[in-house]
Amino acid sequence: MACTSTRPSPESPSATPVGADGAALLERCRALEEENRKLKRINGALIERVESINSRGDDAYAAFQHSVVLAEQVRERTDALNQAMAELKSSNQLLSDARLRAETAHQHLIDAIESISDAFVLFDREQRIVLFNSRFKALWAGSRVRIGGGLRLAEIKRLSRSTGLVVEEQRGHGDEHLLYRLRDGRWVQVSERPTREGGLVILYTDITEVKLSETQRREQAVAQKSRLLQRAVDNLSQGMAMVNAEGQLELWNHRFLDLCGLAPISAHRPFAEVMADSELALLTPDSRDAAGRPVEELELRLFDGRMLEVRTHALPTGGFVNTFTDITERYRHAEALSESERWIRLITDHVPALIAYLNADLVYDFTNKVYEEWYCWPRGAMLGQSLRQVHSEEHCRRLEPYIERALSGESVTFEFAETNHQGQERYMLRSYVPNRQASGEVTGIFVLIRDITERRRTAEALHQAYQHLEQRVRERTAELTELNGQLRREIDERTQMEGRLREAKGEAERANLSKTKFLAAVSHDLLQPLNAARLFTSALLEKQQPGDSLGLVRNVSNSLEDVESLLGTLVDISKLDAGVIKADIAPFAVSELLENLAAEYHQIAGSEGLCLDYLPSSALVRSDIQLLARILRNLLSNAIRYTRSGRILLGCRRRRQSLSIEVWDTGVGIAADKLGEIFQEFKRGDAGQRKQDRGLGLGLAIVEKIAGMLGHRIRVRSQPGKGSMFAIEVPLTTRAPRARVIHDTPDLLLERLRGARIWVLDNDAAICAGMRTLLETWGCQVVTALSEEDLARQVDNYHADADLLIADYHLDDERNGVDAVALINARRSAPLPALMITANYSNELKLQMRELGHTLMHKPVRPMKLKTAMSHLLERGGQGA
C-alpha cells in the first residue's frame, strides 16, 4: 500500500513546507513501503521455487517435506507481512492525521496573514518569496507584474522602481524604517525582520493618515509660529518693517503704521511706494551720506514735534529690516540734563576754589570759571584739552608723581607753589580724589585747588617768630652767664616776646574762627539760591500742569534735588571734619522721629513706584534727634536710590540695653567684598539702577562720621540681587518727654493750612517770591518782607491779625531772625509761633531755639517737611488760643 503526500497547488495564494512531525511520518511510510516490496519479492520467489519442484516429481517425499517447510516459512512470512501491513496501516493513519493537522495549521497561517492589516511577504534564505498575503499582491494592482512564489527580493525592488510603483523614498525617524510614497499618493512604511532559518519577513504598513496628520500639524505649527511672530512684532514698542530682496514689504507692525502716519496696508507692496505715502525720508541699505558712506541710522523730527530714530539692518539673504523708535523722551531728558549741568556750573563758578575733573587719559572734562581765570584760558576752551596741552612741561613734571598716586586709587593732598598771571608766587593746596567705579577701576580725578598763601605766610611768620625767640633765649642765656646785671632787662624782653606769642596765638585762633564763620557763610550763600529754586519748583509741582510741562518740572526738581544733595553733602562733610557740628544728647521717644520720617518718605517712595512700610515703636532712647534723623534720612534715601522695585521697611528691634533702628530694602544689594568700602568717601554702589546717580558717594561716609560722634554702632547686611539691611543701635532710656502722636494725612495738612495768615521775613527776594508762590498754592494768605521795617509797613506795625511767622536766621546788617521775632512779638498782644529757617547747623543755635520755643528748619527747605511743621505750629497755636 503506497503512502502519498499532498502539496498545495501553485495557484493557491501561499505555499508552505509540511511540519516536522509530518516529515517523520512520511519517512517512516517510505521505509515500510520498501520493506513491503522486499517481502513481496521473497514470497514470489518461494512460490516459484515450490512450483518448479512439484513439476519435476522425482522425489515426492522430499518435495512434501520441503513443501511443508516452505509452507511454514510462508506462513511465518505471511504473519510477518500481515503484522507489517498492520503497522503500515497504522502509520498511514498517523500520517494522514499529521497531514490534516499540517494542512489545518497551514490554513490557519494563511488566515492569520490575511487578517493582518499590513501587506505581508516571507522570503527564504535565498531571498525568494515563500508566502505573501493578498494585501501585498494588491500593491501591484494596475501593473503588469505577476507576483508569485520564488520571485527574488532584488527583482521586486527593481520592478517597483521601473513600473513607477514607488515615487519617493525617505528614511523614517532614527533611520530604522524606510518610507515609500506610491504613485496613488499613499505612504507605506517598510519593516524588515529576519527569520530563524535566515529568511526575511517584510511588512508594508499604510501610514498615509499619519503622514497627512503630520503634514497638517507641521503646517499648523508654521501658521502658529507666524501668528506668534506677528503678535510679538505687534507688541514691540518700536516700529518695525521687513523688506525682502525684491524691495517688497513682507512684515510690519501697528507701531510702524502709527509712527509713519500710514493707514492699514496690504502685503508685498513695494517699500518705496509705501514710504512715499508717509512723511518720513526713505532709508535703505543703499542710502549714502554726503561723504558716500552707508547710512545706517537717521533721526527725524515729526510734524508734531516728536523725534524718531530710524535704523537699517541688512539681512544675510538680501533685503533689510527698518526699526522706528520714538526718542522724544530721550531728547527731553537730555535737555533736562543740560539744564542741570547749567545749574551745577552756575554754582561751581561762584565757589572761590579751583575745581576741575580729569579723565583717565588726563583730559579736562570739567573746569569752573575760577579755574579757567586762574590759568588765563577762554571760557570752555580747556575742555577736551590734555593736561600737557594746558600746562608747561615743567609744571606737568612736578605734578606727575601726585597724579600717578591718584590714578592708582589714592586720595592725595599736597601744597604746591605756583606763579599766577600777575607774576606773584602763590601757595596752592591741591587735592586729587580718584573717581572709582563699582568695580574699583579709577576712571578720572576730581581736582580741588585752594589758595593758602595767606595761611602759609602766617604759619611762616609764627615759625620765624618761634625761631627768633629760641635764638634770643640762647643769646640771653649766654649773656646771663657773662652779665648777671642784665638779667632784669632780658626777663623783660622775654616777657614782651611771650606777649607777642600770645598775640600770634590769638590771631591763629581768630583765623580758625574766621574759617568756621566762612564755612557757615559759604554754606548759607550756596544753599540760598537752591532754596529759592526748590520753592518755585515745588509750587509748580503743586499746580495742575499739562503732561509735558509736568515732566519738565519734575526733571528740574530732580536736578535741583541732586545739586542740593551734592552741595549739602560737601558742606556737611566739611563741617564734620572741622568739628563745627556738636552732638546734643537728650532723651526722646523714638516714635517722635520715625513717624515724621515715615510720613515724609512714604510719598518719596511712592513717586518712585516703591512701597514704604513702617513698624511703630514705643521705645525711649538717648541721642541727638537732629543728627540721628540725618543718619536715617541718608539710609532711607540710599534704600530708595538703589531699589528698582519692591518695598522698603523702616522699623525697630530691642537688643538688651539698646534699640536697633533698621532700614530694609529689596534693592540691588552689595557684594560681600564691597561691604568694607561703602562707608569710605567718594565710594558709590552699582550705577545700574533705575535712574542716574549723580552723588559723590559721601552719604554713608557722613552716616559713619555722625554715628562715631554719637557713639552709636552701625550694622549692615546685604545679599546681591535680593536687598540690604542697614541698622543703627541707639541706647535705650526709661524717661523722656512724651511723644506727640501724629495721625496727619496730606489732605488734613492742607485743610489745616487753608486760609492761614502767614508772615514771611527773608532778605532774599527770590526766596520771598518762591515762598509766596508755594504757600499760596496751599491756600495760605501770605505777606512777605525783606526786613523788619518792610514788614511793619505792610502789617500795621505788627498789629495785624496773623497765625504764623516764618523768618530767615541770617538777615541784613548783622541782624538775625531770633532778634526780629523777639521785636515783632514784643509789639503784639499775643506772640506768634515762629518757624526759623537757616543753613546754620551749630549746636548753640539749636539750644537757643529750644529754649525760646521756636521751631528750627534747615535749608534747603523740603516742601513736605515745611507743610508738616507749619501744620503742627498752627494746630499748637490754635490750641493755645
Side-chain angles (χ1 to χ4, degrees):
M1 183 178 189
C3 179
T4 61
S5 62
T6 60
R7 298 180 64 86
S9 63
E11 290 77 20
S12 63
S14 60
T16 181
V18 181
D21 293 341
L25 289 173
L26 288 173
E27 187 65 29
R28 187 175 180 184
C29 182
R30 291 192 194 98
L32 291 173
E33 289 176 349
E34 183 65 26
E35 187 176 358
N36 191 18
R37 282 194 298 272
K38 289 180 180 180
L39 290 174
K40 284 181 178 180
R41 285 197 302 271
I42 292 171
N43 191 20
L46 288 174
I47 293 172
E48 182 179 357
R49 186 175 181 183
V50 170
E51 289 177 351
S52 66
I53 291 175
N54 291 334
S55 64
R56 289 193 302 265
D58 54 354
D59 192 353
Y61 179 79
F64 174 77
Q65 186 180 9
H66 184 67
S67 63
V68 171
V69 173
L70 287 176
E72 183 65 24
Q73 289 179 352
V74 168
R75 185 183 62 79
E76 290 176 357
R77 294 292 183 179
T78 302
D79 291 340
L81 180 60
N82 289 334
Q83 185 178 356
M85 291 300 292
E87 292 178 357
L88 180 60
K89 184 178 181 181
S90 177
S91 298
N92 284 336
Q93 184 63 39
L94 291 175
L95 180 60
S96 297
D97 294 342
R99 176 169 292 179
L100 180 60
R101 289 196 299 271
E103 290 177 352
T104 303
H106 180 67
Q107 187 62 40
H108 288 169
L109 176 60
I110 292 174
D111 294 341
I113 65 174
E114 283 296 328
S115 66
I116 298 175
S117 60
D118 302 332
F120 174 91
V121 60
L122 173 64
F123 295 90
D124 59 13
R125 64 177 62 189
E126 283 79 22
Q127 303 290 307
R128 295 178 180 275
I129 290 181
V130 176
L131 189 65
F132 58 90
N133 63 2
S134 58
R135 287 182 175 79
F136 176 74
K137 191 173 183 179
L139 293 177
W140 300 89
S143 69
R144 296 182 179 179
V145 178
R146 294 182 61 83
I147 301 298
L151 193 62
R152 290 185 178 275
L153 177 60
E155 182 66 15
I156 292 175
K157 291 182 177 180
R158 186 187 67 79
L159 290 173
S160 66
R161 294 184 178 89
S162 63
T163 59
L165 177 65
V166 176
V167 179
E168 181 181 353
E169 179 179 329
Q170 293 182 0
R171 279 285 178 185
H173 296 294
D175 294 339
E176 295 180 357
H177 304 288
L178 279 175
L179 303 180
Y180 292 144
R181 184 166 66 89
L182 305 183
R183 60 189 170 195
D184 58 359
R186 290 183 299 152
W187 284 87
V188 294
Q189 175 179 291
V190 182
S191 302
E192 298 181 356
R193 292 290 184 272
T195 64
R196 187 168 53 188
E197 292 78 11
L200 189 65
V201 173
I202 301 179
L203 290 177
Y204 297 85
T205 305
D206 191 334
I207 60 169
T208 306
E209 294 298 329
V210 176
K211 289 291 289 184
L212 291 177
S213 177
E214 182 181 348
T215 303
Q216 184 178 7
R217 286 198 304 271
R218 187 182 299 112
E219 292 175 351
Q220 290 175 350
V222 171
Q224 178 67 12
K225 288 181 180 178
S226 299
R227 288 193 295 271
L228 290 176
L229 177 60
Q230 185 64 49
R231 193 177 305 164
V233 168
D234 286 338
N235 287 323
L236 291 176
S237 60
Q238 293 179 315
M240 192 279 291
M242 185 175 73
V243 181
N244 60 21
E246 288 74 29
Q248 294 178 340
L249 186 62
E250 284 194 348
L251 183 65
W252 67 93
N253 60 1
H254 297 302
R255 185 63 174 161
F256 163 71
L257 300 178
D258 293 340
L259 293 176
C260 296
L262 294 170
I265 57 178
S266 58
H268 306 298
R269 283 188 60 190
F271 184 62
E273 178 184 322
V274 173
M275 296 305 295
D277 295 337
S278 72
E279 59 172 313
L280 304 181
L282 182 63
L283 182 62
T284 68
D286 299 329
S287 300
R288 303 282 173 174
D289 58 11
R293 295 185 297 268
V295 178
E296 297 180 352
E297 181 178 345
L298 182 68
E299 292 184 359
L300 302 172
R301 183 179 293 276
L302 302 182
F303 69 95
D304 56 359
R306 290 182 300 163
M307 292 298 298
L308 199 63
E309 179 186 68
V310 185
R311 291 177 180 267
T312 296
H313 312 272
L315 297 177
T317 57
F320 59 93
V321 173
N322 272 359
T323 57
F324 302 80
T325 308
D326 189 341
I327 59 172
T328 307
E329 290 301 323
R330 188 195 309 170
Y331 263 73
R332 292 176 179 172
H333 185 61
E335 293 175 355
L337 288 179
S338 299
E339 182 67 15
S340 300
E341 182 181 358
R342 188 183 68 82
W343 275 99
I344 293 175
R345 183 168 292 280
L346 177 65
I347 294 168
T348 54
D349 284 347
H350 289 83
V351 174
L354 283 70
I355 301 175
Y357 179 79
L358 293 168
N359 61 25
D361 298 326
L362 300 183
V363 174
Y364 282 97
D365 286 346
F366 176 83
T367 54
N368 69 344
K369 182 179 179 182
V370 180
Y371 194 99
E372 295 169 340
E373 290 177 349
W374 174 267
Y375 291 108
C376 300
W377 276 76
R379 186 62 170 153
M382 296 180 74
L383 300 182
Q385 301 286 333
S386 68
L387 187 70
R388 297 189 180 278
Q389 292 175 320
V390 172
H391 302 291
S392 65
E393 185 67 27
E394 174 65 20
H395 186 88
C396 296
R397 186 183 60 78
R398 292 172 61 196
L399 293 178
E400 186 174 357
Y402 306 105
I403 293 175
E404 290 179 353
R405 289 168 59 188
L407 289 175
S408 65
E410 179 184 354
S411 295
V412 183
T413 299
F414 60 96
E415 293 184 5
F416 192 82
E418 294 186 48
T419 302
N420 62 12
H421 63 279
Q422 297 177 353
Q424 301 173 345
E425 186 179 37
R426 310 294 293 180
Y427 291 97
M428 313 299 287
L429 181 64
R430 287 177 170 262
S431 296
Y432 291 164
V433 180
N435 180 23
R436 293 189 185 90
Q437 298 298 313
S439 60
E441 179 187 0
V442 177
T443 59
I445 306 173
F446 296 101
V447 179
L448 179 65
I449 307 175
R450 288 161 289 178
D451 191 341
I452 58 168
T453 305
E454 299 304 326
R455 188 177 73 182
R456 176 74 178 267
R457 290 174 179 173
T458 301
E460 290 178 352
L462 288 174
H463 180 70
Q464 291 176 1
Y466 179 75
Q467 293 293 334
H468 181 63
L469 173 61
E470 287 186 344
Q471 181 181 357
R472 292 294 300 273
V473 169
R474 285 194 299 270
E475 292 175 355
R476 294 310 177 191
T477 302
E479 291 176 2
L480 182 62
T481 58
E482 297 177 1
L483 300 172
N484 195 21
Q486 298 180 0
L487 178 60
R488 185 175 298 275
R489 182 162 55 91
E490 292 296 337
I491 293 174
D492 292 341
E493 289 180 1
R494 185 170 182 176
T495 302
Q496 293 174 6
M497 187 61 66
E498 289 176 351
R500 285 195 291 271
L501 283 175
R502 284 192 295 271
E503 292 177 1
K505 181 181 179 182
E507 289 177 1
E509 291 175 350
R510 286 192 295 272
N512 189 35
L513 179 61
S514 175
K515 174 186 173 183
T516 302
K517 290 181 178 179
F518 172 76
L519 184 62
V522 166
S523 63
H524 177 271
D525 293 338
L526 288 177
L527 295 177
Q528 194 79 344
L530 277 179
N531 188 32
R534 284 297 302 275
L535 292 173
F536 280 119
T537 55
S538 299
L540 287 174
L541 287 174
E542 293 285 344
K543 294 181 178 180
Q544 295 296 329
Q545 300 285 342
D548 293 341
S549 299
L550 182 61
L552 292 175
V553 174
R554 287 192 182 281
N555 287 335
V556 173
S557 179
N558 294 337
S559 301
L560 290 176
E561 185 176 355
D562 291 339
V563 174
E564 167 197 332
S565 175
L566 175 67
L567 292 179
T569 302
L570 289 173
V571 171
D572 287 348
I573 203 75
S574 301
K575 289 182 178 180
L576 288 170
D577 289 339
V580 176
I581 300 177
K582 302 295 182 181
D584 179 21
I585 305 297
F588 62 94
V590 74
S591 60
E592 181 180 358
L593 170 62
L594 298 186
E595 289 176 357
N596 287 334
L597 290 176
E600 178 181 352
Y601 280 88
H602 179 77
Q603 293 191 359
I604 298 175
S607 66
E608 298 294 339
L610 304 174
C611 176
L612 187 142
D613 296 329
Y614 163 60
L615 299 178
S617 173
S618 60
L620 307 177
V621 297
R622 283 183 56 82
S623 182
D624 185 316
I625 190 169
Q626 299 293 338
L627 295 180
L628 183 59
R630 185 56 190 270
I631 291 176
L632 295 176
R633 286 180 189 277
N634 280 353
L635 296 182
L636 288 169
S637 297
N638 266 13
I640 293 174
R641 179 181 293 118
Y642 293 101
T643 301
R644 297 186 181 92
S645 63
R647 58 195 290 260
I648 296 167
L649 176 65
L650 173 63
C652 302
R653 224 187 274 267
R654 291 181 184 266
R655 295 179 175 271
R656 295 185 180 179
Q657 302 300 319
S658 64
L659 181 71
S660 176
I661 305 176
E662 300 176 357
V663 177
W664 294 74
D665 65 67
T666 59
V668 296
I670 307 166
D673 57 344
K674 301 295 183 183
L675 289 177
E677 301 178 3
I678 58 176
F679 291 96
Q680 297 178 13
E681 296 179 359
F682 304 102
K683 279 285 186 176
R684 294 183 293 181
D686 183 12
Q689 58 266 14
R690 180 175 56 254
K691 60 181 182 178
Q692 186 180 1
D693 181 15
R694 303 187 189 94
L696 289 178
L698 294 175
L700 292 179
I702 291 177
V703 166
E704 187 178 46
K705 288 179 181 293
I706 296 177
M709 179 191 304
L710 297 175
H712 299 341
R713 178 189 172 198
I714 296 289
R715 293 184 297 107
V716 59
R717 292 206 313 265
S718 184
Q719 192 170 358
K722 293 187 177 180
S724 306
M725 185 280 293
F726 287 82
I728 179 168
E729 294 186 6
V730 184
L732 288 167
T733 186
T734 55
R735 291 186 179 182
R738 187 169 183 178
R740 178 178 178 273
V741 180
I742 300 173
H743 298 291
D744 293 344
T745 63
D747 292 337
L748 182 59
L749 294 176
L750 284 176
E751 183 63 26
R752 199 174 290 157
L753 292 177
R754 191 169 291 112
R757 295 160 296 189
I758 312 298
W759 294 353
V760 178
L761 178 60
D762 197 301
N763 61 339
D764 192 323
I767 290 181
C768 286
M771 190 70 78
R772 174 190 292 276
T773 304
L774 180 61
L775 297 184
E776 287 180 350
T777 304
W778 294 343
C780 300
Q781 301 176 14
V782 185
V783 175
T784 60
L786 300 175
S787 63
E788 298 97 315
E789 294 78 10
D790 185 16
L791 182 62
R793 285 193 298 271
Q794 298 183 61
V795 296
D796 190 19
N797 200 20
Y798 311 128
H799 295 301
D801 293 334
D803 300 312
L804 178 63
L805 173 60
I806 301 176
D808 184 16
Y809 180 75
H810 292 282
L811 300 175
D812 293 334
D813 302 328
E814 298 297 325
R815 289 181 291 183
N816 59 64
V818 175
D819 297 337
V821 171
L823 174 64
I824 292 170
N825 283 336
R827 298 185 183 179
R828 293 179 58 85
S829 58
L832 289 174
L835 173 60
M836 195 69 60
I837 300 177
T838 181
N840 189 344
Y841 285 80
S842 68
N843 230 19
E844 294 78 11
L845 182 59
K846 286 195 293 186
L847 293 175
Q848 185 182 12
M849 293 298 102
R850 188 181 301 168
E851 291 174 358
L852 295 174
H854 300 332
T855 299
L856 183 64
M857 183 173 294
H858 291 101
K859 293 181 180 180
V861 174
R862 297 177 182 270
M864 185 61 194
K865 190 174 180 181
L866 175 63
K867 185 186 299 182
T868 304
M870 290 176 58
S871 176
H872 294 166
L873 286 174
L874 291 171
E875 182 185 17
R876 189 173 65 187
Q879 293 173 352

